[in-house]
Amino acid sequence: MKIKATTADAYKLFHNGTLALARAERQGIRIDTEYCERKKQHLTRKINKYQKELQGTKFYRRWEHIYGRKANIYSNHQLSRLLYHIMKIEPPKVTESGKGSTDEDALGQIDIPELKIILKIRKLAKIRDTYLDAFIREQTDGYLHPSFELHNVRTYRSSSSNPNFQNIPKRDKESMQICRRALLPRPGHMLVEMDFSALEVHIGACYHKDPVMLKYLKDKESDMHADMAKQIFMLEALDRSDPIQNKLRSAAKNGFVFPQFYGDYYGNNAASLCEWVGLPHSKWVPGMGIQLSDGYYISDHLRNNGIKSFQKFVEYMKEVEDDFWSNRFHVYNNWRDKWVEQYRRDGYLKMLTGFTCAGVARKNEIINYPIQGTAFHCLLLTFIELDKAMRKEKWDSKLVGQIHDDALLDVRPDELEHIKGTINRIVKEELPKKWDWIIVPLDIDLEVYGVDKPWVA
DNA sequence: GGAACTCGCCAC
DNA sequence: AAACGTGGCGAGTTCC
């Protein structure tokens, strides 16, 4: 008989989780403080160089003319006034409070070369002030001890602070290398990162049990993102080994599938997809966007299929969205409706792990909360069990951090094989045994970094 | 001089 | 009819 998880089960998970996370906090992660100091100075010199370059321009002299000695290139308030009030430029986008935005996207759409310098300065200052500075400030005796909290997040995920271990740059190569170069294993050890692949998609399937999604997750040959790329870009086939075709797959994944799961809609999707493939929000002519093959561009291809403008593409994406939820994933879609209906009736929702979310929430929030929380709980239980095995068997290896669906270990090389086996046992056997609602195989990836090498691939 | 706010930007 | 979920944090600004 199936027994549903209770609040007491949820409590126990967080009680044990708190203890395991506290032990990881106490272990800490080794940090190269001298490197941080050196790199900080290096970044400061680069920033000063860009600042000098900016200050020599007409644009900045205008800025100084308005603000005098108070002119500050880090003031977005001043920049916004200068661009949108003094220079009368039409704001490409506005902020939450309705003022002209000065974020990267907005500045990128304004044809003033000086703004490029500001963006470069912003990026370097972000690395220096948010990461390297914090690493130096927060370290004691060459170790960082980030906090991991379980009481801050509405979805019953974790948060991290002092410093935040969960937002160290990864996607931008330069930022990633500069920041992660600072984080090291203990002497003679290596960093090992384990992460669940597509965990939220898998956990979502445990809630809605859509047969089409279950097939995608169980059948290694099938590929949801490739299928969506084929549909969106009207392709007969998709070869992931071709870089351009793989880019189309990434566009479908990040510009349509994931945003749809979070509750986005075709209008934003169409804009995002165009961004991915380099097409403008206007009429399309031959030779626009990314090149599919010699002399054949994405705009040629879509025009040949009857989509000759952004406007038309938006209409087409409406059809794709409709097909996505009404046909392809209609069981998933019915679950969403029923789930929201039930919340509106009860005033709360209950997760598969026993946690309760109550209070006023919008539709998208209600759909996302259980999936986001439950996915993290899979990582947390894995973390707890690993910590338990580690202490019982007196490993020299240590758990040092966690990022929602990902854990970082500081491993003594001769223990690696045993640790791999332990992780696999926990994820493949113990998790599904404890939680019988896990109806899809959970997969984990292991990334092993070099002995004495930093957290840089 | 600190609290509370906005904005921008990093992660999943 | 509306239209992307969860955080932390630094700098600048405003208010007391």
PDB file of all heavy atoms in Angstrom, chain A residues 332-361:
ATOM      1  N   TYR A 332       0.040  16.109 -19.007  1.00  0.00           N
ATOM      2  CA  TYR A 332       0.755  17.094 -18.195  1.00  0.00           C
ATOM      3  C   TYR A 332      -0.116  18.344 -18.033  1.00  0.00           C
ATOM      4  O   TYR A 332      -0.299  18.881 -16.929  1.00  0.00           O
ATOM      5  CB  TYR A 332       2.068  17.422 -18.921  1.00  0.00           C
ATOM      6  CG  TYR A 332       3.089  18.294 -18.213  1.00  0.00           C
ATOM      7  CD1 TYR A 332       4.392  18.378 -18.708  1.00  0.00           C
ATOM      8  CD2 TYR A 332       2.788  19.054 -17.079  1.00  0.00           C
ATOM      9  CE1 TYR A 332       5.361  19.162 -18.100  1.00  0.00           C
ATOM     10  CE2 TYR A 332       3.746  19.844 -16.464  1.00  0.00           C
ATOM     11  CZ  TYR A 332       5.026  19.908 -16.989  1.00  0.00           C
ATOM     12  OH  TYR A 332       5.983  20.692 -16.403  1.00  0.00           O
ATOM     13  N   ASN A 333      -0.694  18.772 -19.142  1.00  0.00           N
ATOM     14  CA  ASN A 333      -1.519  19.980 -19.116  1.00  0.00           C
ATOM     15  C   ASN A 333      -2.747  19.804 -18.219  1.00  0.00           C
ATOM     16  O   ASN A 333      -3.082  20.695 -17.431  1.00  0.00           O
ATOM     17  CB  ASN A 333      -1.950  20.326 -20.543  1.00  0.00           C
ATOM     18  CG  ASN A 333      -2.507  21.731 -20.645  1.00  0.00           C
ATOM     19  OD1 ASN A 333      -2.057  22.627 -19.923  1.00  0.00           O
ATOM     20  ND2 ASN A 333      -3.484  21.932 -21.498  1.00  0.00           N
ATOM     21  N   ASN A 334      -3.390  18.641 -18.319  1.00  0.00           N
ATOM     22  CA  ASN A 334      -4.543  18.384 -17.451  1.00  0.00           C
ATOM     23  C   ASN A 334      -4.133  18.393 -15.989  1.00  0.00           C
ATOM     24  O   ASN A 334      -4.858  18.883 -15.119  1.00  0.00           O
ATOM     25  CB  ASN A 334      -5.184  17.032 -17.787  1.00  0.00           C
ATOM     26  CG  ASN A 334      -5.894  17.082 -19.133  1.00  0.00           C
ATOM     27  OD1 ASN A 334      -6.214  18.164 -19.624  1.00  0.00           O
ATOM     28  ND2 ASN A 334      -6.114  15.917 -19.719  1.00  0.00           N
ATOM     29  N   TRP A 335      -2.952  17.833 -15.708  1.00  0.00           N
ATOM     30  CA  TRP A 335      -2.457  17.855 -14.324  1.00  0.00           C
ATOM     31  C   TRP A 335      -2.323  19.293 -13.820  1.00  0.00           C
ATOM     32  O   TRP A 335      -2.715  19.610 -12.698  1.00  0.00           O
ATOM     33  CB  TRP A 335      -1.104  17.141 -14.215  1.00  0.00           C
ATOM     34  CG  TRP A 335      -0.490  17.320 -12.852  1.00  0.00           C
ATOM     35  CD1 TRP A 335      -0.797  16.603 -11.726  1.00  0.00           C
ATOM     36  CD2 TRP A 335       0.481  18.298 -12.450  1.00  0.00           C
ATOM     37  NE1 TRP A 335      -0.068  17.076 -10.647  1.00  0.00           N
ATOM     38  CE2 TRP A 335       0.720  18.112 -11.071  1.00  0.00           C
ATOM     39  CE3 TRP A 335       1.168  19.313 -13.121  1.00  0.00           C
ATOM     40  CZ2 TRP A 335       1.624  18.908 -10.343  1.00  0.00           C
ATOM     41  CZ3 TRP A 335       2.066  20.097 -12.405  1.00  0.00           C
ATOM     42  CH2 TRP A 335       2.288  19.898 -11.032  1.00  0.00           C
ATOM     43  N   ARG A 336      -1.776  20.171 -14.667  1.00  0.00           N
ATOM     44  CA  ARG A 336      -1.592  21.568 -14.248  1.00  0.00           C
ATOM     45  C   ARG A 336      -2.929  22.184 -13.842  1.00  0.00           C
ATOM     46  O   ARG A 336      -3.040  22.838 -12.800  1.00  0.00           O
ATOM     47  CB  ARG A 336      -0.960  22.391 -15.378  1.00  0.00           C
ATOM     48  CG  ARG A 336       0.403  21.873 -15.802  1.00  0.00           C
ATOM     49  CD  ARG A 336       1.178  22.876 -16.611  1.00  0.00           C
ATOM     50  NE  ARG A 336       0.474  23.379 -17.793  1.00  0.00           N
ATOM     51  CZ  ARG A 336       0.931  24.335 -18.572  1.00  0.00           C
ATOM     52  NH1 ARG A 336       2.094  24.912 -18.302  1.00  0.00           N
ATOM     53  NH2 ARG A 336       0.252  24.728 -19.626  1.00  0.00           N
ATOM     54  N   ASP A 337      -3.938  21.962 -14.684  1.00  0.00           N
ATOM     55  CA  ASP A 337      -5.260  22.532 -14.380  1.00  0.00           C
ATOM     56  C   ASP A 337      -5.818  21.972 -13.079  1.00  0.00           C
ATOM     57  O   ASP A 337      -6.318  22.703 -12.231  1.00  0.00           O
ATOM     58  CB  ASP A 337      -6.234  22.250 -15.526  1.00  0.00           C
ATOM     59  CG  ASP A 337      -5.887  23.061 -16.774  1.00  0.00           C
ATOM     60  OD1 ASP A 337      -5.117  24.038 -16.641  1.00  0.00           O
ATOM     61  OD2 ASP A 337      -6.368  22.705 -17.864  1.00  0.00           O
ATOM     62  N   LYS A 338      -5.723  20.652 -12.950  1.00  0.00           N
ATOM     63  CA  LYS A 338      -6.276  20.007 -11.744  1.00  0.00           C
ATOM     64  C   LYS A 338      -5.520  20.458 -10.496  1.00  0.00           C
ATOM     65  O   LYS A 338      -6.104  20.662  -9.432  1.00  0.00           O
ATOM     66  CB  LYS A 338      -6.182  18.476 -11.879  1.00  0.00           C
ATOM     67  CG  LYS A 338      -7.303  17.906 -12.720  1.00  0.00           C
ATOM     68  CD  LYS A 338      -7.499  16.409 -12.492  1.00  0.00           C
ATOM     69  CE  LYS A 338      -6.205  15.642 -12.368  1.00  0.00           C
ATOM     70  NZ  LYS A 338      -6.096  14.468 -13.246  1.00  0.00           N
ATOM     71  N   TRP A 339      -4.205  20.591 -10.638  1.00  0.00           N
ATOM     72  CA  TRP A 339      -3.362  20.972  -9.501  1.00  0.00           C
ATOM     73  C   TRP A 339      -3.736  22.374  -8.993  1.00  0.00           C
ATOM     74  O   TRP A 339      -3.876  22.600  -7.790  1.00  0.00           O
ATOM     75  CB  TRP A 339      -1.886  20.914  -9.922  1.00  0.00           C
ATOM     76  CG  TRP A 339      -0.921  21.125  -8.801  1.00  0.00           C
ATOM     77  CD1 TRP A 339      -0.259  22.279  -8.511  1.00  0.00           C
ATOM     78  CD2 TRP A 339      -0.503  20.167  -7.822  1.00  0.00           C
ATOM     79  NE1 TRP A 339       0.556  22.103  -7.412  1.00  0.00           N
ATOM     80  CE2 TRP A 339       0.420  20.826  -6.969  1.00  0.00           C
ATOM     81  CE3 TRP A 339      -0.828  18.831  -7.577  1.00  0.00           C
ATOM     82  CZ2 TRP A 339       1.031  20.185  -5.891  1.00  0.00           C
ATOM     83  CZ3 TRP A 339      -0.212  18.194  -6.503  1.00  0.00           C
ATOM     84  CH2 TRP A 339       0.699  18.867  -5.676  1.00  0.00           C
ATOM     85  N   VAL A 340      -3.916  23.292  -9.937  1.00  0.00           N
ATOM     86  CA  VAL A 340      -4.266  24.665  -9.574  1.00  0.00           C
ATOM     87  C   VAL A 340      -5.679  24.695  -8.983  1.00  0.00           C
ATOM     88  O   VAL A 340      -5.940  25.368  -7.973  1.00  0.00           O
ATOM     89  CB  VAL A 340      -4.170  25.604 -10.798  1.00  0.00           C
ATOM     90  CG1 VAL A 340      -4.720  26.988 -10.474  1.00  0.00           C
ATOM     91  CG2 VAL A 340      -2.724  25.707 -11.261  1.00  0.00           C
ATOM     92  N   GLU A 341      -6.565  23.925  -9.572  1.00  0.00           N
ATOM     93  CA  GLU A 341      -7.949  23.844  -9.085  1.00  0.00           C
ATOM     94  C   GLU A 341      -7.971  23.347  -7.637  1.00  0.00           C
ATOM     95  O   GLU A 341      -8.653  23.904  -6.776  1.00  0.00           O
ATOM     96  CB  GLU A 341      -8.699  22.855  -9.980  1.00  0.00           C
ATOM     97  CG  GLU A 341     -10.195  22.995 -10.010  1.00  0.00           C
ATOM     98  CD  GLU A 341     -10.771  21.967 -10.987  1.00  0.00           C
ATOM     99  OE1 GLU A 341     -10.561  22.129 -12.216  1.00  0.00           O
ATOM    100  OE2 GLU A 341     -11.376  20.993 -10.499  1.00  0.00           O
ATOM    101  N   GLN A 342      -7.188  22.329  -7.381  1.00  0.00           N
ATOM    102  CA  GLN A 342      -7.140  21.749  -6.033  1.00  0.00           C
ATOM    103  C   GLN A 342      -6.585  22.754  -5.020  1.00  0.00           C
ATOM    104  O   GLN A 342      -7.101  22.892  -3.918  1.00  0.00           O
ATOM    105  CB  GLN A 342      -6.277  20.489  -6.046  1.00  0.00           C
ATOM    106  CG  GLN A 342      -6.298  19.739  -4.726  1.00  0.00           C
ATOM    107  CD  GLN A 342      -5.533  18.420  -4.827  1.00  0.00           C
ATOM    108  OE1 GLN A 342      -5.556  17.757  -5.864  1.00  0.00           O
ATOM    109  NE2 GLN A 342      -4.853  18.050  -3.761  1.00  0.00           N
ATOM    110  N   TYR A 343      -5.540  23.479  -5.441  1.00  0.00           N
ATOM    111  CA  TYR A 343      -4.982  24.504  -4.554  1.00  0.00           C
ATOM    112  C   TYR A 343      -6.014  25.581  -4.249  1.00  0.00           C
ATOM    113  O   TYR A 343      -6.158  26.031  -3.112  1.00  0.00           O
ATOM    114  CB  TYR A 343      -3.730  25.137  -5.182  1.00  0.00           C
ATOM    115  CG  TYR A 343      -3.413  26.496  -4.621  1.00  0.00           C
ATOM    116  CD1 TYR A 343      -2.841  26.636  -3.349  1.00  0.00           C
ATOM    117  CD2 TYR A 343      -3.721  27.659  -5.335  1.00  0.00           C
ATOM    118  CE1 TYR A 343      -2.585  27.881  -2.815  1.00  0.00           C
ATOM    119  CE2 TYR A 343      -3.458  28.912  -4.803  1.00  0.00           C
ATOM    120  CZ  TYR A 343      -2.898  29.031  -3.551  1.00  0.00           C
ATOM    121  OH  TYR A 343      -2.656  30.261  -3.024  1.00  0.00           O
ATOM    122  N   ARG A 344      -6.756  25.961  -5.259  1.00  0.00           N
ATOM    123  CA  ARG A 344      -7.744  27.029  -5.055  1.00  0.00           C
ATOM    124  C   ARG A 344      -8.861  26.563  -4.140  1.00  0.00           C
ATOM    125  O   ARG A 344      -9.443  27.343  -3.389  1.00  0.00           O
ATOM    126  CB  ARG A 344      -8.288  27.530  -6.397  1.00  0.00           C
ATOM    127  CG  ARG A 344      -7.219  28.354  -7.096  1.00  0.00           C
ATOM    128  CD  ARG A 344      -7.669  29.042  -8.361  1.00  0.00           C
ATOM    129  NE  ARG A 344      -6.561  29.848  -8.877  1.00  0.00           N
ATOM    130  CZ  ARG A 344      -6.345  30.122 -10.151  1.00  0.00           C
ATOM    131  NH1 ARG A 344      -7.185  29.676 -11.061  1.00  0.00           N
ATOM    132  NH2 ARG A 344      -5.319  30.860 -10.512  1.00  0.00           N
ATOM    133  N   ARG A 345      -9.148  25.277  -4.193  1.00  0.00           N
ATOM    134  CA  ARG A 345     -10.184  24.713  -3.325  1.00  0.00           C
ATOM    135  C   ARG A 345      -9.674  24.604  -1.887  1.00  0.00           C
ATOM    136  O   ARG A 345     -10.334  25.033  -0.948  1.00  0.00           O
ATOM    137  CB  ARG A 345     -10.584  23.332  -3.845  1.00  0.00           C
ATOM    138  CG  ARG A 345     -11.935  22.860  -3.365  1.00  0.00           C
ATOM    139  CD  ARG A 345     -12.316  21.534  -3.992  1.00  0.00           C
ATOM    140  NE  ARG A 345     -11.341  20.503  -3.713  1.00  0.00           N
ATOM    141  CZ  ARG A 345     -10.757  19.755  -4.646  1.00  0.00           C
ATOM    142  NH1 ARG A 345     -11.057  19.920  -5.922  1.00  0.00           N
ATOM    143  NH2 ARG A 345      -9.879  18.840  -4.305  1.00  0.00           N
ATOM    144  N   ASP A 346      -8.442  24.058  -1.718  1.00  0.00           N
ATOM    145  CA  ASP A 346      -7.919  23.777  -0.382  1.00  0.00           C
ATOM    146  C   ASP A 346      -7.226  24.974   0.266  1.00  0.00           C
ATOM    147  O   ASP A 346      -7.155  25.076   1.483  1.00  0.00           O
ATOM    148  CB  ASP A 346      -6.905  22.627  -0.442  1.00  0.00           C
ATOM    149  CG  ASP A 346      -7.523  21.348  -0.971  1.00  0.00           C
ATOM    150  OD1 ASP A 346      -8.774  21.270  -0.992  1.00  0.00           O
ATOM    151  OD2 ASP A 346      -6.772  20.439  -1.357  1.00  0.00           O
ATOM    152  N   GLY A 347      -6.625  25.827  -0.554  1.00  0.00           N
ATOM    153  CA  GLY A 347      -5.851  26.942  -0.012  1.00  0.00           C
ATOM    154  C   GLY A 347      -4.411  26.572   0.292  1.00  0.00           C
ATOM    155  O   GLY A 347      -3.671  27.369   0.857  1.00  0.00           O
ATOM    156  N   TYR A 348      -4.019  25.381  -0.042  1.00  0.00           N
ATOM    157  CA  TYR A 348      -2.630  24.965   0.153  1.00  0.00           C
ATOM    158  C   TYR A 348      -2.317  23.834  -0.819  1.00  0.00           C
ATOM    159  O   TYR A 348      -3.223  23.269  -1.426  1.00  0.00           O
ATOM    160  CB  TYR A 348      -2.383  24.506   1.595  1.00  0.00           C
ATOM    161  CG  TYR A 348      -3.145  23.260   1.977  1.00  0.00           C
ATOM    162  CD1 TYR A 348      -2.600  22.005   1.752  1.00  0.00           C
ATOM    163  CD2 TYR A 348      -4.420  23.335   2.524  1.00  0.00           C
ATOM    164  CE1 TYR A 348      -3.301  20.847   2.075  1.00  0.00           C
ATOM    165  CE2 TYR A 348      -5.128  22.200   2.860  1.00  0.00           C
ATOM    166  CZ  TYR A 348      -4.563  20.957   2.634  1.00  0.00           C
ATOM    167  OH  TYR A 348      -5.254  19.824   2.948  1.00  0.00           O
ATOM    168  N   LEU A 349      -1.023  23.521  -0.939  1.00  0.00           N
ATOM    169  CA  LEU A 349      -0.657  22.341  -1.716  1.00  0.00           C
ATOM    170  C   LEU A 349       0.293  21.495  -0.904  1.00  0.00           C
ATOM    171  O   LEU A 349       0.982  21.982  -0.013  1.00  0.00           O
ATOM    172  CB  LEU A 349      -0.026  22.730  -3.063  1.00  0.00           C
ATOM    173  CG  LEU A 349       1.341  23.427  -3.046  1.00  0.00           C
ATOM    174  CD1 LEU A 349       2.472  22.400  -3.034  1.00  0.00           C
ATOM    175  CD2 LEU A 349       1.470  24.307  -4.278  1.00  0.00           C
ATOM    176  N   LYS A 350       0.295  20.222  -1.206  1.00  0.00           N
ATOM    177  CA  LYS A 350       1.118  19.267  -0.467  1.00  0.00           C
ATOM    178  C   LYS A 350       2.081  18.594  -1.443  1.00  0.00           C
ATOM    179  O   LYS A 350       1.666  18.074  -2.468  1.00  0.00           O
ATOM    180  CB  LYS A 350       0.185  18.228   0.162  1.00  0.00           C
ATOM    181  CG  LYS A 350       0.815  17.362   1.199  1.00  0.00           C
ATOM    182  CD  LYS A 350       0.505  17.872   2.596  1.00  0.00           C
ATOM    183  CE  LYS A 350       1.258  17.028   3.609  1.00  0.00           C
ATOM    184  NZ  LYS A 350       1.363  17.669   4.911  1.00  0.00           N
ATOM    185  N   MET A 351       3.358  18.608  -1.090  1.00  0.00           N
ATOM    186  CA  MET A 351       4.353  17.991  -1.975  1.00  0.00           C
ATOM    187  C   MET A 351       4.454  16.491  -1.719  1.00  0.00           C
ATOM    188  O   MET A 351       4.085  16.014  -0.643  1.00  0.00           O
ATOM    189  CB  MET A 351       5.725  18.620  -1.740  1.00  0.00           C
ATOM    190  CG  MET A 351       5.808  20.079  -2.110  1.00  0.00           C
ATOM    191  SD  MET A 351       7.509  20.663  -1.955  1.00  0.00           S
ATOM    192  CE  MET A 351       7.207  22.428  -2.082  1.00  0.00           C
ATOM    193  N   LEU A 352       5.027  15.781  -2.684  1.00  0.00           N
ATOM    194  CA  LEU A 352       5.238  14.339  -2.533  1.00  0.00           C
ATOM    195  C   LEU A 352       6.152  14.040  -1.341  1.00  0.00           C
ATOM    196  O   LEU A 352       6.138  12.938  -0.797  1.00  0.00           O
ATOM    197  CB  LEU A 352       5.847  13.759  -3.817  1.00  0.00           C
ATOM    198  CG  LEU A 352       4.890  13.680  -5.014  1.00  0.00           C
ATOM    199  CD1 LEU A 352       5.649  13.418  -6.302  1.00  0.00           C
ATOM    200  CD2 LEU A 352       3.836  12.589  -4.778  1.00  0.00           C
ATOM    201  N   THR A 353       6.955  15.015  -0.942  1.00  0.00           N
ATOM    202  CA  THR A 353       7.864  14.828   0.190  1.00  0.00           C
ATOM    203  C   THR A 353       7.242  15.264   1.513  1.00  0.00           C
ATOM    204  O   THR A 353       7.940  15.297   2.532  1.00  0.00           O
ATOM    205  CB  THR A 353       9.167  15.604  -0.058  1.00  0.00           C
ATOM    206  OG1 THR A 353       8.837  16.893  -0.609  1.00  0.00           O
ATOM    207  CG2 THR A 353      10.077  14.864  -1.021  1.00  0.00           C
ATOM    208  N   GLY A 354       5.955  15.647   1.499  1.00  0.00           N
ATOM    209  CA  GLY A 354       5.258  15.954   2.746  1.00  0.00           C
ATOM    210  C   GLY A 354       5.206  17.423   3.122  1.00  0.00           C
ATOM    211  O   GLY A 354       4.579  17.786   4.123  1.00  0.00           O
ATOM    212  N   PHE A 355       5.854  18.281   2.347  1.00  0.00           N
ATOM    213  CA  PHE A 355       5.857  19.718   2.664  1.00  0.00           C
ATOM    214  C   PHE A 355       4.560  20.372   2.203  1.00  0.00           C
ATOM    215  O   PHE A 355       3.993  19.989   1.179  1.00  0.00           O
ATOM    216  CB  PHE A 355       7.044  20.420   1.988  1.00  0.00           C
ATOM    217  CG  PHE A 355       8.375  20.031   2.567  1.00  0.00           C
ATOM    218  CD1 PHE A 355       9.017  18.868   2.160  1.00  0.00           C
ATOM    219  CD2 PHE A 355       8.980  20.816   3.545  1.00  0.00           C
ATOM    220  CE1 PHE A 355      10.241  18.501   2.701  1.00  0.00           C
ATOM    221  CE2 PHE A 355      10.211  20.451   4.081  1.00  0.00           C
ATOM    222  CZ  PHE A 355      10.835  19.294   3.668  1.00  0.00           C
ATOM    223  N   THR A 356       4.128  21.379   2.952  1.00  0.00           N
ATOM    224  CA  THR A 356       2.915  22.119   2.625  1.00  0.00           C
ATOM    225  C   THR A 356       3.261  23.541   2.215  1.00  0.00           C
ATOM    226  O   THR A 356       4.050  24.196   2.889  1.00  0.00           O
ATOM    227  CB  THR A 356       1.982  22.187   3.849  1.00  0.00           C
ATOM    228  OG1 THR A 356       1.692  20.852   4.265  1.00  0.00           O
ATOM    229  CG2 THR A 356       0.696  22.924   3.521  1.00  0.00           C
ATOM    230  N   CYS A 357       2.684  24.013   1.108  1.00  0.00           N
ATOM    231  CA  CYS A 357       2.797  25.416   0.720  1.00  0.00           C
ATOM    232  C   CYS A 357       1.415  26.032   0.855  1.00  0.00           C
ATOM    233  O   CYS A 357       0.471  25.571   0.216  1.00  0.00           O
ATOM    234  CB  CYS A 357       3.243  25.567  -0.726  1.00  0.00           C
ATOM    235  SG  CYS A 357       4.941  25.097  -1.036  1.00  0.00           S
ATOM    236  N   ALA A 358       1.314  27.075   1.660  1.00  0.00           N
ATOM    237  CA  ALA A 358       0.036  27.754   1.821  1.00  0.00           C
ATOM    238  C   ALA A 358       0.226  29.236   1.554  1.00  0.00           C
ATOM    239  O   ALA A 358       1.336  29.736   1.579  1.00  0.00           O
ATOM    240  CB  ALA A 358      -0.512  27.529   3.222  1.00  0.00           C
ATOM    241  N   GLY A 359      -0.884  29.938   1.332  1.00  0.00           N
ATOM    242  CA  GLY A 359      -0.796  31.378   1.105  1.00  0.00           C
ATOM    243  C   GLY A 359      -1.209  31.738  -0.301  1.00  0.00           C
ATOM    244  O   GLY A 359      -1.473  30.869  -1.129  1.00  0.00           O
ATOM    245  N   VAL A 360      -1.284  33.034  -0.550  1.00  0.00           N
ATOM    246  CA  VAL A 360      -1.733  33.513  -1.849  1.00  0.00           C
ATOM    247  C   VAL A 360      -0.648  33.284  -2.886  1.00  0.00           C
ATOM    248  O   VAL A 360       0.502  33.633  -2.667  1.00  0.00           O
ATOM    249  CB  VAL A 360      -2.072  35.023  -1.791  1.00  0.00           C
ATOM    250  CG1 VAL A 360      -2.534  35.518  -3.155  1.00  0.00           C
ATOM    251  CG2 VAL A 360      -3.128  35.282  -0.730  1.00  0.00           C
ATOM    252  N   ALA A 361      -1.009  32.646  -3.988  1.00  0.00           N
ATOM    253  CA  ALA A 361      -0.017  32.391  -5.036  1.00  0.00           C
ATOM    254  C   ALA A 361      -0.682  32.390  -6.395  1.00  0.00           C
ATOM    255  O   ALA A 361      -1.864  32.051  -6.518  1.00  0.00           O
ATOM    256  CB  ALA A 361       0.678  31.056  -4.786  1.00  0.00           C
TER     257      ALA A 361
END
